[in-house]
Amino acid sequence: MRLTSDTSSDGIREQLFVVDDTPAALWTPDGPAVTRPLVLLGHGGGEHKKEPGILARARRLVTECGFAVVAPDVPGHGDRPVQEEYNRLAIANQERIAAGAEPGLLLAEFHALVARRTVPEWQAVLDAVQRLDHVGAGPVGYWGVSLGCGLGVPFVAAEPRVRAAVLGLGGALASAAEAARITVPVEFLLQWDDERVPREAGLALFEAFGSAEKTLHANPGGHGDLPAFELDSTLRFLARHLG
Amino acid sequence: MRLTSDTSSDGIREQLFVVDDTPAALWTPDGPAVTRPLVLLGHGGGEHKKEPGILARARRLVTECGFAVVAPDVPGHGDRPVQEEYNRLAIANQERIAAGAEPGLLLAEFHALVARRTVPEWQAVLDAVQRLDHVGAGPVGYWGVSLGCGLGVPFVAAEPRVRAAVLGLGGALASAAEAARITVPVEFLLQWDDERVPREAGLALFEAFGSAEKTLHANPGGHGDLPAFELDSTLRFLARHLG
């Protein structure tokens, strides 16, 4: 872990660092170094580790739950170099969609491609962060929707340290088999009128999770219209399972 | 309103009374007579105004939210006389189901028949209770699943005093038109493996609500397996909208 910044403000310590090639941000409560639950936040497509939604979730998890929170940049996002392969694929996919291909399937294929990199990267980030005295090897949670769901499903399926996951705004097209391997509690957020994820695909992903405890929260509105009260609910969900 | 009992225990006052032909129970916090939110609880089929689930919800709404709670007996239930008409219909329906009729449709027809009595009865109960000094004319909420949903949908659609409703374990077969007239916030509870209400019928009822704010909470398990954390969530929902 190569630390690039270490600051503190309003009771929250923020450390920016790089693990191998992965830039990430870590937020922890100021105060004594104790082992605490850790939540990994997966950002959305075109976003990065310090976009406003990530910062808002991190702040509340730190101040209201006393958790540590870590957010890595996905390849091709944030402080990471442009990924020519991804860009070529995006252009090719646009052409395939124009020619009549199913957008959801292409998106799922893309997520599966990126996840082959992010799953080991995020595991390395967990390894590094949990060696810090002010984080330690406590229970781990995951929070990610949209791209953060497409990458989160294979991550949660692969990583036994994760004890509870918030996922959503994703469908079952490519990840049903991995979803079936998830057995930890899941809170799944679905937008009833999602213009990017067909309702049936979202319901099918919820159906696919192998977890005995899984809750679907569906609300009216499009992909970007998650109601604010659902963030409150996910904080309670993670506090209940990690706290 | 004819009062038949007035007791107090653990900070909760319980009054049993009859309005016209409707026996009901009212629970309020001990203490000064102030206007407060009022939640009407609709019980399930074969249950009554003081079954354990109703008592548990009433206790928490009174002690945690400071609300008044009222629960009427549905005709043919609790302290009310047997309804020969309902019993004849139940037997006829069993015969129709044995002959291949759709159980959900028969249940919906039965709920619609009962609701023609319960909607005006519950409105009269609200009138009577809101005239009491220790309840007053505050905002009203509704909580009812299963039979309490079948009767609750037409009640909430008809009664403008209701500002928020918890409904669930019901389908759209008979009540989609009334559901469309509901515009207040709804929290809707669906059991993913409900053996009495087909999943598609439950999703269709959620779809049918006219409310701009409506949330579907779906969990694995059968008709009777609502998780305990959903009661917590409904208390927060009602507190947010009535408090």
Side-chain angles (χ1 to χ4, degrees):
Chain A
M1 174 189 273
R2 183 166 58 83
L3 194 66
T4 59
S5 163
D6 192 341
T7 57
S8 187
S9 167
D10 287 336
I12 302 175
R13 182 177 181 184
E14 177 183 279
Q15 294 170 288
L16 304 180
F17 60 91
V18 180
V19 174
D20 303 326
D21 294 327
T22 310
L26 172 69
W27 298 275
T28 47
D30 276 341
V34 297
T35 296
R36 58 182 80 251
L38 169 66
V39 176
L40 192 145
L41 301 180
H43 65 69
E47 300 181 343
H48 59 83
K49 65 184 176 304
K50 289 191 67 178
E51 62 95 11
I54 294 282
L55 291 177
R57 292 192 277 280
R59 167 171 294 276
R60 293 193 57 187
L61 285 162
V62 169
T63 59
E64 297 176 30
C65 307
F67 292 176
V69 178
V70 67
D73 278 334
V74 171
H77 292 70
D79 294 329
R80 303 188 71 159
V82 169
Q83 291 286 317
E84 289 301 343
E85 179 195 5
Y86 297 171
N87 290 352
R88 277 196 304 273
L89 196 61
I91 291 166
N93 281 348
Q94 284 164 8
E95 290 167 357
R96 291 163 71 188
I97 290 167
E102 165 60 54
L105 188 57
L106 299 180
L107 191 66
E109 286 174 1
F110 180 70
H111 288 175
L113 174 75
V114 179
R116 285 200 285 276
R117 286 187 59 183
T118 51
V119 168
E121 286 182 356
W122 294 359
Q123 290 180 312
V125 167
L126 284 190
D127 292 343
V129 165
Q130 288 199 317
R131 280 195 292 267
L132 299 171
D133 284 347
H134 59 302
V135 178
V140 174
Y142 180 77
W143 202 119
V145 297
S146 195
L147 174 64
C149 179
L151 304 181
V153 167
F155 173 67
V156 175
E159 179 45 65
R161 282 172 288 189
V162 175
R163 306 268 189 90
V166 175
L167 298 161
L169 308 183
L173 283 165
S175 55
E178 282 156 323
R181 294 210 312 277
I182 294 178
T183 57
V184 297
V186 170
E187 188 157 295
F188 186 74
L189 306 177
L190 181 146
Q191 288 294 97
W192 201 245
D193 312 296
D194 195 317
E195 70 282 10
R196 295 197 216 168
V197 182
R199 187 185 299 166
E200 288 309 316
L203 293 173
L205 180 51
F206 175 69
E207 168 82 2
F209 292 123
S211 313
E213 183 182 331
K214 56 182 179 181
T215 301
L216 167 70
H217 286 193
N219 293 282
H223 194 77
D225 300 331
L226 267 184
F229 57 74
E230 290 296 355
L231 175 56
D232 302 339
S233 174
T234 65
L235 295 182
R236 283 189 298 261
F237 169 80
L238 291 173
R240 187 153 52 87
H241 290 290
L242 307 179
Chain B
M1 175 190 276
R2 182 166 59 83
L3 195 65
T4 58
S5 164
D6 191 342
T7 58
S8 186
S9 168
D10 287 336
I12 302 175
R13 181 177 181 183
E14 176 184 280
Q15 294 170 289
L16 304 180
F17 60 91
V18 180
V19 174
D20 304 326
D21 294 326
T22 309
L26 172 69
W27 299 274
T28 47
D30 277 342
V34 297
T35 296
R36 58 182 81 251
L38 170 66
V39 176
L40 191 144
L41 301 180
H43 65 70
E47 299 180 343
H48 59 83
K49 65 183 176 304
K50 288 191 67 179
E51 63 94 13
I54 293 283
L55 291 177
R57 293 192 275 281
R59 168 170 293 277
R60 294 193 58 186
L61 285 162
V62 168
T63 59
E64 297 176 30
C65 307
F67 291 176
V69 178
V70 67
D73 277 334
V74 171
H77 292 71
D79 294 329
R80 304 188 70 160
V82 169
Q83 291 285 316
E84 290 301 344
E85 178 194 7
Y86 296 171
N87 291 353
R88 276 196 303 274
L89 196 60
I91 291 166
N93 281 347
Q94 284 163 8
E95 290 167 358
R96 291 164 71 187
I97 290 167
E102 164 60 56
L105 189 57
L106 299 181
L107 191 65
E109 285 174 2
F110 180 69
H111 288 175
L113 174 75
V114 179
R116 285 200 286 276
R117 286 187 58 182
T118 52
V119 169
E121 285 181 356
W122 294 359
Q123 290 180 312
V125 167
L126 283 191
D127 292 344
V129 165
Q130 288 199 318
R131 279 195 292 267
L132 299 171
D133 283 346
H134 58 301
V135 178
V140 174
Y142 180 78
W143 202 119
V145 298
S146 196
L147 174 64
C149 179
L151 305 181
V153 168
F155 172 67
V156 175
E159 178 46 66
R161 283 173 286 190
V162 174
R163 306 270 188 89
V166 175
L167 297 162
L169 308 182
L173 281 166
S175 55
E178 281 156 324
R181 296 210 312 276
I182 294 178
T183 57
V184 298
V186 170
E187 188 157 295
F188 185 74
L189 306 178
L190 182 146
Q191 288 295 95
W192 201 244
D193 312 295
D194 195 318
E195 70 282 9
R196 296 198 215 167
V197 182
R199 187 185 300 166
E200 288 308 317
L203 293 173
L205 179 51
F206 176 69
E207 168 82 3
F209 292 123
S211 313
E213 182 182 332
K214 55 182 179 181
T215 301
L216 168 71
H217 285 194
N219 292 283
H223 195 76
D225 299 331
L226 267 184
F229 57 74
E230 290 296 355
L231 174 57
D232 302 339
S233 175
T234 65
L235 294 181
R236 284 188 297 262
F237 169 80
L238 291 173
R240 188 152 53 86
H241 289 291
L242 308 179

